[in-house]
Amino acid sequence: MTMAKVSDVDAASVASTAVPDARTNVVQLVSADISTIAGVSLYGSRAEITRIAKIDLEAGQNRITITGLPSAMLEETLRVEGKGSATIHDVTVARTPATPQPHPQKSATSPHLQSLYKERKAVGSELYRVSKHLEALERFASTLNAKDNSIDQVVEVMARYEPEAAVLHERTYDLEQRLLELDDSILEEQSRLRSEADAATAPTVSSELGKQLTVAIFARGKGPVELVLVYAVSSASWRATYETRVVTANSTKDGGAPVDLTYKAAINQSTGEDWADVPIVLETASPTFGLSIPQLVPHTLSVHRPRSRSPDRYEHSRRRRAHYSRSRSISPHRYPHVVTVRAGRSMESHRSHSPPAPQMVAQEAVVTSMGNVTASFSIPGRSNIPSDGEDHQVTIAKLKLEARLQWVAVPSMSLQTHLKGYIENTSEYTFLPGKTSVYLDGSFISKSPVPPVSPRESFECSLGVDPSIRITFHPRTKKAAKSGLYTKTQTHSYSQRITVFNTRTQPVENVAVLAQVPVSQDAAITVKVSSPALPPAADQNQGGSASGSGAPSAVRVSGAVSAAWEDSREGRFKWTAKLAPQEKLMLELEWEVSAPAATVINGL
């Protein structure tokens, strides 16, 4: 049977004021003893816990208090449901009060401490007797004199005195050392007893499990019921991590390569409850609480009208200036601080004529929605995530994807060749933002960011540097010439050669070499690229062709090499080539800069 409910509890707002009478069955239980976690739905910054508790009720009114619930519980999310022949009347959630403990005794003791005190007293008494004995011996030795005793008697007395005094001195030293040892032992035992007393009087409520739930239930008959507690907790999160493995030797003829991508989750929780042997569902949605709809405010326009200066204010200011002018002309040496006064008054006068400062305007917040497709990932089997605040890795899926490889070099900046992969998400999983560990041909290369990717979307992944594609950037050559009969023109010609060498035993299908030529910012200066034979920059749209098709128009340089503008307004273009195994490719860049002969050109 399903347990009837008076209300589906908003536990933060419901508080029970009823006082249980003598017929109410009052029971206090510990959550870990009578309930288990049946499931965890983990979001980016919180988790939803489902607990099932089995409780024995008496017929009639019952008041059940369950302690040991996490302090990180968000009280407004608590729901209490159940199964059984009973009705839920009231639910209250609060902090668990500390259990009052008896005050510790003023002087804690133990049998061992008592024996130490007894031994110390005995050693102290013996030390007193020995000191008195030694004192008497010393007093007797001081009474000897030659008048009353012969030399033989004195010698005999001193012969007996010396060994006896030595024994007493040694015994005194041993007893004093024993007293020091006993004092240390007494202090150690007293410290141990104080620690035990402090532990006994310490609060029994854990700071991490400091909340309790009180449920008022009316049962139609005696017997067990099942309560289901659903609540959200903070201090729990998960983030996506990835592992990407690419083997370039398995690349296809069209430049593609298989990719093994392992989709993982790093789970972290410090809620105070250990998630032991529980099913976990990872949610990509981000729950929000109390988010209100933004309200539009009026956006008004008006004509700016400068404020006119008041004639009265102008006349008042003029009179003040005349007054200070007369003061200066009377006696300039009577007022040694006249410069400071004038400066202050001048600023005040200036402020009186300046228009008022505009009012500060608060920066308006911009609310955006990412709009990503949400998904739920059920972790296979059951997981064990202790409440230790450490990352625990679980695998979501192992995927076989396809990547289109591209080798990219920028020789004017670096002689290294970078490898990129354009990976298509052909799976049914949504990729969350995270980091991926990249392994190229079995070796760890680097960590690369992964953006949010929905199914059927592609993303770019950096695969590190490929040393098998070698770049040589040859020295640049420059020539200058003048031409023209009446109007002289100066021309600067430049030539740059770049060598690309594929040392691999496999062909590479998509090698991009980026270069740049100067861009004229003045109509008197003309820049012309002669090799490769790209269309004039003025005919190109930024990032596209003159026809507006969106793709840059490419020109054929040779059988396997083409060139196209990337951004003609900034002078960037690239060669795209296919290289056979052990092939060397020579790329040539030639351009010239023309301007009137008297023109001084900056940037050459």
Side-chain angles (χ1 to χ4, degrees):
M1 292 181 290
T2 301
M3 184 179 296
K5 296 182 295 179
V6 172
S7 62
D8 198 3
V9 181
D10 180 356
S13 61
V14 177
S16 175
T17 58
V19 178
D21 56 26
R23 294 172 296 177
T24 301
N25 177 37
V26 179
V27 181
Q28 184 166 334
L29 305 170
V30 179
S31 173
D33 297 337
I34 53 93
S35 67
T36 57
I37 298 178
V40 175
S41 294
L42 186 58
Y43 296 85
S45 60
R46 64 191 64 198
E48 186 179 74
I49 311 296
T50 301
R51 270 192 172 275
I52 297 179
K54 295 183 178 180
I55 303 172
D56 292 327
L57 300 180
E58 297 292 334
Q61 193 67 31
N62 296 265
R63 182 167 293 275
I64 311 299
T65 299
I66 302 175
T67 62
L69 293 173
S71 300
M73 176 197 296
L74 304 175
E75 299 178 9
E76 65 272 15
T77 65
L78 176 64
R79 302 196 312 273
V80 179
E81 302 172 353
K83 295 180 179 179
S85 181
T87 302
I88 298 175
H89 282 182
D90 184 25
V91 173
T92 305
V93 62
R95 294 206 54 88
T96 304
T99 304
Q101 296 291 334
H103 293 288
Q105 298 178 2
K106 292 184 178 180
S107 57
T109 185
S110 67
H112 180 52
L113 183 61
Q114 293 295 332
S115 66
L116 291 174
Y117 281 139
K118 184 176 181 181
E119 183 180 356
R120 191 187 189 284
K121 185 176 180 180
V123 172
S125 299
E126 185 178 357
L127 180 61
Y128 176 77
R129 292 193 300 272
V130 171
S131 65
K132 289 298 183 182
H133 189 178
L134 184 60
E135 182 181 348
L137 188 63
E138 295 285 352
R139 191 182 307 113
F140 174 78
S142 64
T143 60
L144 293 176
N145 54 64
K147 181 188 294 187
D148 300 330
N149 299 281
S150 65
I151 188 67
D152 294 335
Q153 291 175 329
V154 172
V155 170
E156 182 181 357
V157 170
M158 295 304 297
R160 295 183 60 185
Y161 164 77
E162 289 182 358
E164 185 69 18
V167 170
L168 292 175
H169 278 293
E170 184 176 357
R171 182 58 180 167
T172 300
Y173 175 79
D174 292 341
L175 292 173
E176 289 176 346
Q177 290 298 115
R178 180 56 183 163
L179 280 179
L180 293 176
E181 294 175 358
L182 288 172
D183 287 341
D184 291 340
S185 299
I186 289 172
L187 290 176
E188 182 178 350
E189 180 66 9
Q190 288 175 339
S191 176
R192 186 186 68 82
L193 292 173
R194 280 196 299 269
S195 299
E196 291 180 354
D198 292 341
T201 58
T204 59
V205 178
S206 170
S207 60
E208 294 182 339
L209 300 174
K211 288 189 178 179
Q212 67 179 25
L213 172 69
T214 302
V215 186
I217 305 176
F218 181 82
R220 298 178 182 84
K222 181 178 180 180
V225 297
E226 185 177 276
L227 287 181
V228 179
L229 313 180
V230 182
Y231 53 88
V233 291
S234 57
S235 303
S237 63
W238 79 280
R239 55 185 174 84
T241 61
Y242 304 87
E243 185 178 291
T244 304
R245 295 182 179 272
V246 181
V247 180
T248 57
N250 298 334
S251 57
T252 59
K253 294 183 179 180
D254 58 355
V259 174
D260 292 328
L261 188 143
T262 303
Y263 194 172
K264 298 181 179 180
I267 300 176
N268 184 306
Q269 70 104 350
S270 55
T271 62
E273 296 180 312
D274 291 335
W275 300 345
D277 194 31
V278 299
I280 296 180
V281 177
L282 303 178
E283 302 284 355
T284 62
S286 298
T288 56
F289 298 93
L291 187 62
S292 59
I293 300 175
Q295 299 294 321
L296 294 174
V297 298
H299 182 177
T300 60
L301 302 176
S302 61
V303 177
H304 174 68
R305 294 184 176 88
R307 298 179 60 180
S308 61
R309 188 165 53 188
S310 171
D312 294 338
R313 293 177 58 192
Y314 174 75
E315 181 64 20
H316 176 68
S317 178
R318 186 189 65 78
R319 290 176 180 175
R320 286 197 305 174
R321 288 197 301 271
H323 170 72
Y324 287 114
S325 297
R326 287 195 300 271
S327 299
R328 290 187 60 199
S329 62
I330 292 173
S331 179
H333 299 288
R334 286 185 58 189
Y335 304 98
H337 302 292
V338 67
V339 174
T340 304
V341 173
R342 286 186 62 233
R345 294 296 185 180
S346 176
M347 292 176 64
E348 182 179 346
S349 176
H350 174 72
R351 286 196 296 267
S352 66
H353 295 297
S354 301
Q359 294 291 328
M360 288 187 179
V361 179
Q363 176 66 44
E364 295 182 82
V366 178
V367 181
T368 60
S369 176
M370 297 301 294
N372 294 327
V373 177
T374 60
S376 298
F377 302 142
S378 296
I379 303 301
R382 292 176 175 266
S383 304
N384 292 280
I385 310 295
S387 176
D388 55 5
E390 301 292 336
D391 284 343
H392 298 269
Q393 298 277 351
V394 297
T395 299
I396 297 175
K398 292 186 176 181
L399 307 174
K400 294 283 188 180
L401 305 178
E402 189 75 19
R404 183 172 58 87
L405 302 181
Q406 184 182 43
W407 287 260
V408 181
V410 188
S412 61
M413 305 297 293
S414 171
L415 298 182
Q416 292 180 326
T417 303
H418 297 262
L419 180 59
K420 294 195 301 184
Y422 297 90
I423 304 174
E424 182 182 2
N425 181 13
T426 56
S427 71
E428 59 183 4
Y429 295 92
T430 298
F431 295 167
L432 296 184
K435 293 281 188 179
T436 179
S437 299
V438 179
Y439 293 83
L440 183 64
D441 294 333
S443 300
F444 174 76
I445 299 298
S446 63
K447 283 188 173 292
S448 181
V450 176
V453 184
S454 297
R456 312 310 304 180
E457 279 190 325
S458 298
F459 66 98
E460 179 183 315
C461 180
S462 176
L463 302 178
V465 175
D466 188 351
S468 63
I469 307 298
R470 299 177 185 173
I471 304 294
T472 304
F473 195 63
H474 299 278
R476 180 183 298 173
T477 61
K478 175 183 177 181
K479 295 180 181 180
K482 292 186 179 181
S483 62
L485 183 59
Y486 298 104
T487 304
K488 297 292 185 179
T489 301
Q490 58 173 327
T491 301
H492 302 271
S493 301
Y494 297 88
S495 178
Q496 178 73 63
R497 292 184 302 130
I498 303 169
T499 302
V500 184
F501 182 25
N502 177 21
T503 64
R504 303 166 63 92
T505 57
Q506 298 88 20
V508 289
E509 298 294 327
N510 189 4
V511 179
V513 180
L514 277 65
Q516 191 175 34
V517 294
V519 178
S520 174
Q521 299 294 321
D522 195 291
I525 303 174
T526 302
V527 179
K528 180 182 178 182
V529 181
S530 55
S531 178
L534 295 171
D539 298 339
Q540 297 290 310
N541 295 323
Q542 185 172 352
S545 63
S547 62
S549 62
S553 55
V555 296
R556 182 69 61 183
V557 177
S558 64
V561 182
S562 62
W565 288 108
E566 273 214 330
D567 191 338
S568 60
R569 295 184 182 182
E570 295 186 2
R572 296 201 311 266
F573 73 96
K574 69 176 178 180
W575 288 282
T576 304
K578 297 180 181 179
L579 277 75
Q582 303 296 317
E583 180 184 358
K584 279 188 178 182
L585 177 64
M586 180 69 71
L587 302 175
E588 294 186 358
L589 171 60
E590 296 179 355
W591 76 94
E592 62 181 25
V593 180
S594 302
T599 305
V600 178
I601 304 175
N602 293 325
L604 285 181

